[in-house]
Amino acid sequence: MYPAQFPPAFLSLNQSILPVPSRFSRASMSDHNPKEPNINTLSIDLTELILSSLPIPSLLRASSVCNLWRSLISSPSFTSPSLSSPWFFLFGLHNTSSRNNQSFAFDPLSNSWFLLPSLHDDSSSSSFLGSSGFLFTTTPKFSYTPLLKSSWRLTSSLKYSRVNPLLGVFHDGSSGVHRGFKFIVVGGVRFIGGLVDIEDRLAVEIYDPNHDSWELCPALPADFRSRNSSQSLSSDLLKGKFYVFGIYSGFVSSFDMRNHVWSEVQSLRPPGIIFSFMISCNDMLVLAGMCNAPRGPSFNIWRIDERTMELSEIYLMPQSLLYSLVDDEEDDKFASLKCVGMSNLIYVFNEEYHQKYHACLCEISADNGKCSWRRVPQLPLAVNKFS
């Protein structure tokens, strides 16, 4: 299984997990008395308004009722108070059969994992990424799908196709069929003849779904050349800027989405830091990572001043939670910890041992700025049937 984060989520449950109630079945909708009111006679706007008021369990059931409801719920513009908290995803690749891949979503409001429908991809790609309710393949061709629709759309060719790039979804306010959302693809590893292209110029490209076109932008600064994939970089979008941060190097630069320019590369390395991730949380930039401090190993969270890029420590993971994520006998026991976040949640998990160890999350209050830590329940047992 490979962790990925897709906040906020627009999802459907496998009906074997949450069957559609009989009163919502297709048969009951088609066999109604024509003299009685029927939900199918409502306008699309009113139907969407009703759906947006449903709690998550009902919303997920409703997404399996008909194509119209599924389309409305999976739309990037669909909003609902019940979807305000970002979901945490795990997407598992089966060793031999893509049809046996598994996807799970964790809902922080109900504190539950859900098994998602199969996502069939015809590109034969093993390079999957996720962001803001979309799943992507990046090579050999770039394609994407909203998670609920499970219908892959192949884009025109990237000028520089790549594996494991950084990827973000943003809205530029324009109109159109796709309601103004665009994708930005940054860095990644490029192969030529099966070998890594060491002269790769760290391309940045922006995709416009309304015109099926890619715009080539100024390249990622050369400071990131030695480690330019999502395995060694973290990224996030905040206030019109796409931030790129070196997990191990501490280098940081931001791309201005309006003016298409990169900022000067700076270094963010708190004392004792081993590795860290830059994320946005509660409309602020934060740095979260492992420290080797005099008091012992710790997982710290710092707030970043966007103007000066100075750091101030704000939260510390409880030691009991930190050690519940790792095996005490391993010399490099913290090396496989990863961190993702959005809205007011920060997830910390063990990328290599997700089945054995609990993930945990930090929830930051928007009212008083205080945080509360808790464990994420273990994955459903069904995951053990697959690789």
Side-chain angles (χ1 to χ4, degrees):
M1 299 288 289
Y2 295 87
Q5 186 227 12
F6 306 75
F10 309 102
L11 310 172
S12 168
L13 287 182
N14 188 309
Q15 290 187 351
S16 64
I17 304 297
L18 275 179
V20 178
S22 59
R23 66 180 182 276
F24 284 148
S25 66
R26 289 182 176 84
S28 65
M29 293 179 67
S30 60
D31 297 340
H32 75 285
N33 185 334
K35 294 183 180 180
E36 296 179 357
N38 185 277
I39 195 170
N40 284 341
T41 64
L42 300 178
S43 68
I44 291 179
D45 289 344
L46 185 54
T47 300
E48 185 173 6
L49 179 61
I50 294 172
L51 292 173
S52 69
S53 301
L54 294 177
I56 283 179
S58 299
L59 185 62
L60 298 176
R61 291 186 178 98
S63 68
S64 298
V65 171
C66 63
N67 289 334
L68 173 61
W69 291 11
R70 177 184 291 255
S71 176
L72 291 174
I73 295 170
S74 66
S75 168
S77 63
F78 183 79
T79 58
S80 168
S82 62
L83 293 174
S84 59
S85 294
W87 289 43
F88 179 67
F89 287 80
L90 289 171
F91 182 71
L93 297 175
H94 193 273
N95 288 338
T96 58
S97 172
S98 62
R99 292 189 176 275
N100 287 329
N101 291 344
Q102 283 188 321
S103 304
F104 292 89
F106 173 74
D107 168 30
L109 295 181
S110 64
N111 203 41
S112 302
W113 285 99
F114 297 125
L115 177 64
L116 305 178
S118 298
L119 292 169
H120 299 307
D121 169 39
D122 297 328
S123 71
S124 300
S125 171
S126 60
S127 178
F128 287 92
L129 295 173
S131 181
S132 301
F134 290 89
L135 187 68
F136 302 88
T137 65
T138 61
T139 184
K141 296 181 179 180
F142 193 98
S143 61
Y144 66 94
T145 177
L147 280 165
L148 180 62
K149 290 188 177 180
S150 300
S151 56
W152 291 88
R153 176 173 177 176
L154 188 66
T155 73
S156 56
S157 298
L158 284 152
K159 184 173 180 61
Y160 298 94
S161 62
R162 54 202 61 246
V163 178
N164 290 328
L166 301 172
L167 199 150
V169 179
F170 67 98
H171 292 75
D172 66 353
S174 62
S175 59
V177 175
H178 299 282
R179 309 200 185 189
F181 72 83
K182 293 182 178 180
F183 310 139
I184 179 170
V185 179
V186 177
V189 178
R190 186 181 184 215
F191 290 89
I192 297 179
L195 300 176
V196 174
D197 179 12
I198 61 175
E199 299 298 328
D200 187 6
R201 57 190 299 265
L202 310 182
V204 176
E205 300 185 55
I206 293 179
Y207 179 72
D208 183 347
N210 285 309
H211 299 96
D212 187 27
S213 61
W214 289 95
E215 178 185 2
L216 190 61
C217 301
L220 188 65
D223 303 71
F224 298 96
R225 185 179 299 279
S226 61
R227 295 183 173 184
N228 61 347
S229 76
S230 58
Q231 300 301 310
S232 55
L233 299 177
S234 68
S235 63
D236 217 324
L237 279 160
L238 181 67
K239 299 177 183 178
K241 293 182 178 181
F242 187 80
Y243 288 87
V244 175
F245 177 77
I247 295 172
Y248 305 100
S249 68
F251 291 151
V252 60
S253 180
S254 62
F255 182 73
D256 188 312
M257 304 296 291
R258 178 182 295 272
N259 299 314
H260 290 191
V261 294
W262 286 96
S263 68
E264 179 184 354
V265 177
Q266 300 182 57
S267 179
L268 290 180
R269 290 194 59 82
I273 194 70
I274 303 172
F275 58 84
S276 54
F277 304 85
M278 180 177 287
I279 55 181
S280 63
C281 188
N282 269 358
D283 206 29
M284 63 180 179
L285 273 184
V286 300
L287 194 68
M290 281 299 308
C291 269
N292 193 5
R295 60 194 173 197
S298 62
F299 193 91
N300 301 39
I301 300 176
W302 297 266
R303 179 169 186 168
I304 303 173
D305 186 311
E306 299 167 40
R307 184 177 59 85
T308 65
M309 300 305 287
E310 294 181 351
L311 299 171
S312 55
E313 185 177 305
I314 51 177
Y315 307 119
L316 187 69
M317 182 190 295
Q319 287 290 93
S320 59
L321 274 184
L322 176 60
Y323 278 89
S324 72
L325 299 174
V326 297
D327 188 338
D328 284 343
E329 297 181 0
E330 295 289 337
D331 291 336
D332 57 348
K333 50 182 170 285
F334 300 112
S336 56
L337 294 186
K338 301 291 183 182
C339 180
V340 293
M342 198 176 196
S343 183
N344 67 326
L345 298 179
I346 297 174
Y347 291 93
V348 185
F349 56 96
N350 193 319
E351 185 177 41
E352 296 182 4
Y353 302 103
H354 53 273
Q355 290 174 281
K356 185 175 181 181
Y357 301 110
H358 294 266
C360 67
L361 66 85
C362 174
E363 184 172 2
I364 301 175
S365 170
D367 297 327
N368 55 28
K370 294 184 177 180
C371 77
S372 60
W373 293 88
R374 73 176 190 265
R375 292 184 181 181
V376 172
Q378 288 185 325
L379 282 167
L381 292 178
V383 73
N384 294 323
K385 297 179 181 179
F386 299 90
S387 302

